[in-house]
Amino acid sequence: MSSGAVVREYPDGSWADDGPTREVEDVIESGHVLAFPRLPFVLHDAERRFLDPRWADPKAKNVSVRWPGGELRGAVGAADDLADLRRMIVRYAEQSEAFALRLFPHYRGKLRRGNTSFRPTDVKGPPRSWRQDDTRLHVDAFPSNPMQGTRLLRVFCNVNPGGRPRLWRVGEPFEAHARRYLGAIGKPAPGSAWLLATLGITKRRRTGYDHLMLQLHDRAKADMAFQRSSPQQSVEFAPGTTWVCFSDQVLHAAMGGQHMMEQTFYLAAGDLAHPASAPLAILERLTGRRLLA
Ligand code: SIN
Ligand code: FE
């Protein structure tokens, strides 16, 4: 790929502290995806039975472990199997956390562990609504879970046993993306954030920041000309590849693949090495408004 490529590759073969790559906060904060093609999440022989969609509850989106409690969600099976499945996912949480803190020592003591998920199902599943369709380029933003400026750092690993890559598209830089739609986005109706929180539709207040992020997410997914013709690159993450990005900043779409691990971390925008690189700071600069009110 050219030097302008969104994805940067690194040679690390170890999750632990002995790997070569560290202090790459500038790289991830400037909107790159860090890819590690020689960093597999190794399953124990007995865990390979979990590489089958039958463990996923069809009603849930993913199999996941929730933190801080560590409960397993979204899986179906016998109790002792589910205990083994949970142990596998917890191991991914621990390895990816140690790894993230080596890559980004500036975030030590600040990174908060979110859900750890195992996705044994094919990306090309039954069709979803356009809003839930992650085969369309988008930045991550969730209707019920306002981030209030907090960053979403994600560590993915392709664990497909049959050689199938995870196929992604990655898109334009965040600032260009924000400029594309900001002029068309209106303000939320007065009182609506209060109402959504009071009714329990949102877990906490949907701030001006969350309103804009959700609008960017929805407008991008609804805009088929954008999906087709905006600047973008196709990327293949082969099995055994781990990749890391801020998914609230990098435009991404999952086009194919099956069997993936994913760990989400939360980081306050003020705890970045360069807070001015955050979507919050970019949107405040472009709108000339404070967005956490
Ligand atoms: C997404 O975060 O939009 C989907 C990522 C994936 O399933 O590879
Ligand atoms: Fe996404």
Side-chain angles (χ1 to χ4, degrees):
M1 257 179 204
S2 71
S3 59
V6 175
V7 180
R8 295 264 178 100
E9 283 195 6
Y10 297 89
D12 303 49
S14 161
W15 296 88
D17 233 23
D18 54 349
T21 305
R22 52 194 72 231
E23 295 179 39
V24 282
E25 291 88 349
D26 291 6
V27 183
I28 193 163
E29 291 181 18
S30 59
H32 289 95
V33 177
L34 284 64
F36 302 84
R38 283 178 282 284
L39 191 56
F41 175 63
V42 178
L43 302 196
H44 302 151
D45 285 345
E47 289 170 341
R48 300 180 71 81
R49 70 188 192 280
F50 296 126
L51 294 170
D52 186 320
R54 79 183 155 102
W55 300 97
D57 179 347
K59 293 189 293 295
K61 215 175 154 194
N62 304 308
V63 179
S64 65
V65 168
R66 308 276 178 101
W67 303 100
E71 317 81 52
L72 181 72
R73 293 286 170 80
V76 287
D80 51 345
D81 287 325
L82 294 185
D84 289 349
L85 176 56
R86 179 181 172 281
R87 256 191 301 279
M88 177 184 93
I89 299 172
V90 168
R91 191 168 76 252
Y92 186 73
E94 289 166 351
Q95 291 190 359
S96 56
E97 186 165 299
F99 184 53
L101 293 175
R102 162 157 70 84
L103 297 178
F104 316 117
H106 189 86
Y107 308 158
R108 203 167 272 278
K110 314 276 174 52
L111 217 51
R112 195 157 50 80
R113 196 189 278 183
N115 289 354
T116 317
S117 72
F118 170 50
R119 309 185 189 184
T121 51
D122 201 298
V123 164
K124 291 252 180 295
R128 297 174 170 280
S129 72
W130 64 270
R131 226 180 176 203
Q132 291 188 348
D133 180 359
D134 288 338
T135 71
R136 304 185 189 202
L137 286 163
H138 63 282
V139 286
D140 285 344
F142 313 106
S144 63
N145 194 11
M147 286 293 113
Q148 303 187 332
T150 295
R151 305 302 312 275
L152 287 165
L153 176 68
R154 293 191 145 154
V155 180
F156 303 90
C157 185
N158 183 353
V159 293
N160 183 274
R164 274 180 74 190
R166 194 90 177 172
L167 303 174
W168 271 28
R169 292 184 290 151
V170 292
E172 63 194 357
F174 182 84
E175 181 162 342
H177 189 60
R179 287 179 187 275
R180 182 187 289 276
Y181 293 115
L182 263 187
I185 301 175
K187 291 195 180 170
S192 62
W194 172 85
L195 189 66
L196 290 167
T198 301
L199 295 176
I201 294 169
T202 53
K203 290 187 195 169
R204 59 191 81 77
R205 217 181 118 76
R206 185 184 288 175
T207 64
Y209 170 77
D210 296 293
H211 171 71
L212 290 180
M213 292 297 286
L214 209 50
Q215 284 285 320
L216 291 178
H217 171 277
D218 289 359
R219 283 170 190 267
K221 282 190 175 176
D223 183 346
M224 293 318 281
F226 166 76
Q227 293 295 327
R228 238 185 347 263
S229 316
S230 68
Q232 55 190 277
Q233 301 162 22
S234 296
V235 192
E236 291 193 7
F237 301 108
T241 301
T242 295
W243 65 105
V244 188
C245 69
F246 279 116
S247 64
D248 54 1
Q249 176 176 12
V250 175
L251 271 285
H252 62 280
M255 308 312 292
Q258 186 180 0
H259 306 108
M260 186 178 74
M261 307 297 301
E262 181 266 330
Q263 174 66 55
T264 296
F265 297 101
Y266 301 111
L267 182 72
D271 290 331
L272 294 165
H274 306 285
S277 69
L280 174 62
I282 292 171
L283 292 172
E284 287 192 333
R285 175 164 53 77
L286 294 179
T287 58
R289 286 189 276 127
R290 304 307 301 270
L291 294 172
L292 293 186

